[in-house]
Amino acid sequence: MESIFHEKQEGSLCAQHCLNNLLQGEYFTPVDLSSIAHQLDEEERMRMAEGGMGSEEYRTFLQQPSGNMDDSGFFSIQVISNALSVWGLELILFNSREYQSLMINPINEKAFICNYKEHWFTIRKLGQQWFNLNSLLTGPELISDTYLALFLAQLQQEGYSIFVIRGNLPECDAEQILGIMKVQQQQRPKLIGEDEAQSSSGMGRSSGQSSVLEAGPGVVEGVVDEDEEELRKALALSRQGMEVEDEEADLRRAIQLSMQGAVMSNMSMPKGGLVAKTTSSGQAPGSTTGGAPLSEKLSAEELRRRRQVYFDRQSQQLAQPTSPQQPTESIGSGKSGTEEDAQAKRSQ
């Protein structure tokens, strides 16, 4: 990947970056492109003068700014086309009827130039792989053969004009190296200035989330699933939902335990005592007040408190002498009375 020439954006010189990234070298400077633009302006002026230098059209033409360049560094498609003609290259409009009638698969082409408003960038094939060499990116972006056609269709929908490059491109180191081996890209390049914007807004991502696989020269970071961020958000929302569900489950279990405690108390205590001890309103658990069970109106903390009170009461009852012991004493006293009567009869 380091062998790929990639000029990054400087000012508004995207046309220069587009050409140099296409040709894989510093072939054109702003001065070179300005010279071509001035030459085109002069040719247009001479054609307008043929209609008469005193005509209204000619005077209007002279008052208008150049249509081939401006002070920001923008250059027209005519400038780019003339610059490529020096290398024997020509541009063909991708969505023209003539080209579409050829039914050529995009992966069989060599390169594309894309333009939207005043921005130009190159998509080029190096070796057997395609790369987005947009100067607004921090580095080349690997594009799979499957994604290339979708990417071009997406650009067209966004309003881009796409031109096919026809002719023999100059040789370059990247072409030779990538012709021997393929690269993989683990992390897609970002837009220039994206890290600074994210860090200033407190949304910077950790740079340690992805690792670079080192497998020899030319092997670099490969393709990251573009839905990874959406997947992480979905997992986070899922975890939040699980926490909410766990809280609701705990509350349901607390209500069930409270109702179970009421049933146990009903089995071991008189019915009259149960109502007085388990409810403050004289109603049994499970009875409705205003159409809803009382246990459903209590909070989880209140249920835990009442359950603890019930367990404490049960512990106190177990520590005291049980009521069945009293009949045992009365039975014993009955036997002693019978023995005294027998002795009285024998004495008589």
Side-chain angles (χ1 to χ4, degrees):
M1 186 72 79
E2 290 80 2
S3 65
I4 300 177
F5 180 87
H6 180 252
E7 272 190 1
K8 298 180 178 63
Q9 188 74 18
E10 293 182 5
S12 299
L13 299 176
C14 54
Q16 170 195 324
H17 306 319
C18 175
L19 289 170
N20 289 340
N21 289 339
L22 171 67
L23 302 174
Q24 285 295 287
E26 297 179 356
Y27 290 95
F28 291 99
T29 66
V31 176
D32 298 330
L33 299 180
S34 297
S35 177
I36 296 175
H38 286 306
Q39 182 181 353
L40 292 172
D41 290 342
E42 183 61 20
E43 293 176 357
E44 293 175 1
R45 188 195 66 78
M46 293 177 63
R47 285 194 297 269
M48 292 297 297
E50 294 177 356
M53 299 181 63
S55 64
E56 184 68 24
E57 291 81 4
Y58 182 75
R59 289 195 297 267
T60 302
F61 174 79
L62 293 179
Q63 294 175 359
Q64 292 177 350
S66 172
N68 296 300
M69 63 172 294
D70 58 24
D71 295 336
S72 68
F74 168 77
F75 295 98
S76 66
I77 182 62
Q78 289 81 8
V79 174
I80 293 178
S81 178
N82 280 26
L84 292 177
S85 65
V86 176
W87 296 91
L89 302 172
E90 62 175 333
L91 299 174
I92 301 177
L93 189 61
F94 178 71
N95 61 349
S96 63
R97 292 183 179 179
E98 293 77 11
Y99 180 79
Q100 293 297 325
S101 63
L102 299 177
M103 302 293 291
I104 300 177
N105 192 326
I107 64 174
N108 295 327
E109 297 291 355
K110 298 178 181 179
F112 300 92
I113 284 181
C114 307
N115 168 251
Y116 179 68
K117 295 184 177 180
E118 297 184 353
H119 182 62
W120 298 90
F121 73 92
T122 294
I123 303 173
R124 174 168 174 173
K125 189 175 186 179
L126 294 168
Q128 300 299 321
Q129 295 174 290
W130 284 89
F131 297 90
N132 177 8
L133 303 179
N134 195 333
S135 58
L136 294 178
L137 297 175
T138 56
E141 179 184 22
L142 179 65
I143 300 177
S144 66
D145 291 349
T146 305
Y147 183 66
L148 177 63
L150 299 176
F151 185 46
L152 294 175
Q154 178 184 353
L155 292 176
Q156 285 185 302
Q157 291 180 354
E158 294 176 357
Y160 276 83
S161 298
I162 303 175
F163 300 90
V164 183
I165 305 298
R166 284 298 177 85
N168 295 323
L169 293 166
E171 295 183 358
C172 61
D173 294 339
E175 180 72 25
Q176 297 177 359
I177 294 176
L178 298 179
I180 301 174
M181 64 182 64
K182 290 186 177 181
V183 300
Q184 292 182 339
Q185 192 171 45
Q186 185 178 357
Q187 184 175 6
R188 296 181 183 274
K190 299 180 181 179
L191 290 172
I192 295 176
E194 183 177 355
D195 289 334
E196 290 78 0
Q198 288 182 348
S199 60
S200 61
S201 60
M203 298 176 62
R205 298 178 181 176
S206 174
S207 60
Q209 290 181 350
S210 59
S211 59
V212 177
L213 300 179
E214 298 180 355
V219 179
V220 287
E221 316 131 339
V223 180
V224 169
D225 187 359
E226 56 188 4
D227 294 333
E228 180 180 355
E229 184 63 23
E230 286 74 7
L231 178 60
R232 284 198 294 267
K233 292 179 181 179
L235 290 175
L237 291 175
S238 176
R239 285 193 293 268
Q240 293 177 2
M242 291 173 62
E243 292 175 358
V244 172
E245 292 178 358
D246 290 342
E247 293 178 358
E248 293 178 352
D250 291 340
L251 180 57
R252 287 194 297 269
R253 284 195 294 269
I255 293 174
Q256 293 174 357
L257 288 174
S258 176
M259 297 177 67
Q260 292 175 2
V263 173
M264 293 171 60
S265 177
N266 188 26
M267 295 174 60
S268 58
M269 298 176 60
K271 294 183 179 179
L274 176 62
V275 177
K277 293 181 181 179
T278 57
T279 65
S280 59
S281 59
Q283 294 180 344
S287 63
T288 58
T289 302
L294 178 61
S295 58
E296 294 182 358
K297 293 187 177 182
L298 297 177
S299 64
E301 182 63 29
E302 179 67 13
L303 290 172
R304 285 193 293 270
R305 186 186 66 79
R306 294 194 177 190
R307 193 164 59 250
Q308 186 61 40
V309 170
Y310 168 74
F311 290 144
D312 294 343
R313 186 183 299 113
Q314 289 291 96
S315 299
Q316 293 176 1
Q317 292 177 356
L318 293 174
Q320 295 176 357
T322 57
S323 56
Q325 293 178 356
Q326 295 177 357
T328 303
E329 293 177 358
S330 61
I331 294 174
S333 59
K335 289 181 179 179
S336 59
T338 303
E339 293 176 353
E340 291 177 355
D341 294 340
Q343 291 177 359
K345 291 180 180 180
R346 286 194 296 270
S347 62
Q348 293 176 358

